[in-house]
Amino acid sequence: MSLKYTGTQINYYFICKRKLWYFSNYIQMEQESELVELGKFIHESSYPREKKEIRIDNTIAIDFAGNDKIIHEVKKSNKIEKAHIWQLKYYLYYLKQKGIPNVTGELNYPKLKKIEKVSLTDNNEKELKKIFSNIDEIINREVPPSPINKSFCKKCAYYEFCYV
Ligand code: SF4
């Protein structure tokens, strides 16, 4: 089972490999591990009967609502939607591995009044395994990948490690 990765690592893999390297090796600007939160959640509520909610970093909410087996993540913007989608697919994979199959996901963008449905296919699972392997290769490098010079770098918590 490949459940050692955090959702943040899957997310950063799509946003910036350098950010993934910093986060995974020694400099974690975001303290809360959503994997720990998710683990607690699963432990407390395999097949929950009531609505549960986990809030992480005040920006991510994972809800497991009643019996409809849909987990929700609330995001502010869809600029990095691919990263959001794969992070959620990873949660679906994680739940499946923990014995909670057939869960689907929804990305909710309240500001955009948009909902993106997310599911986990067999091909996605194969792709996730490649992603895990790529993540291992990246984070085991002795030096981080090069900076990517994107406009969002200025908002990144690791900016000073890349450009100052
Ligand atoms: S500042 Fe840019 S290059 Fe550096 S870690 Fe952040 S996103 Fe990556």
Side-chain angles (χ1 to χ4, degrees):
M1 288 203 300
S2 304
L3 304 182
K4 63 181 178 176
Y5 308 95
T6 68
T8 302
Q9 283 179 303
I10 305 296
N11 188 297
Y12 287 178
Y13 173 79
F14 287 96
I15 293 174
C16 172
K17 310 286 191 276
R18 184 177 174 93
K19 189 169 184 168
L20 168 67
W21 188 94
Y22 277 132
F23 178 81
S24 305
N25 277 287
Y26 55 100
I27 307 165
Q28 297 205 355
M29 299 309 219
E30 293 87 356
Q31 294 298 315
E32 196 75 50
S33 163
E34 72 273 29
L35 194 58
V36 171
E37 290 294 315
L38 191 58
K40 262 194 253 167
F41 166 64
I42 291 165
H43 182 69
E44 287 166 8
S45 63
S46 308
Y47 286 109
R49 292 175 203 286
E50 296 169 9
K51 183 172 176 174
K52 300 256 181 183
E53 183 179 86
I54 304 167
R55 289 201 167 268
I56 302 153
D57 296 338
N58 294 322
T59 54
I60 299 168
I62 300 171
D63 295 341
F64 205 141
N67 294 321
D68 64 0
K69 297 184 81 179
I70 299 173
I71 54 174
H72 301 258
E73 280 218 16
V74 179
K75 301 288 188 185
K76 287 179 187 162
S77 132
N78 64 350
K79 281 186 189 154
I80 49 169
E81 188 160 54
K82 191 172 181 186
H84 296 160
I85 287 171
W86 279 98
Q87 185 174 353
L88 195 43
K89 282 181 185 289
Y90 176 63
Y91 289 150
L92 299 179
Y93 173 86
Y94 187 99
L95 289 168
K96 186 176 173 186
Q97 297 296 319
K98 288 284 180 183
I100 309 176
N102 305 319
V103 179
T104 58
E106 279 184 10
L107 288 170
N108 298 79
Y109 300 100
K111 283 189 184 165
L112 304 173
K113 295 189 167 52
K114 184 182 167 193
I115 294 173
E116 178 85 27
K117 291 192 182 297
V118 176
S119 59
L120 182 73
T121 65
D122 291 346
N123 277 343
N124 292 155
E125 288 193 45
K126 282 184 200 151
E127 188 61 30
L128 271 169
K129 283 171 189 159
K130 278 190 221 159
I131 290 166
F132 300 152
S133 161
N134 290 343
I135 287 175
D136 285 341
E137 186 276 315
I138 291 162
I139 67 181
N140 286 321
R141 291 184 198 174
E142 293 203 354
V143 291
S146 301
I148 58 173
N149 286 309
K150 295 280 186 185
S151 58
F152 57 75
C153 285
K154 285 193 178 134
K155 290 185 182 169
C156 174
Y158 298 95
Y159 183 80
E160 290 190 1
F161 294 96
C162 300
Y163 300 108
V164 176

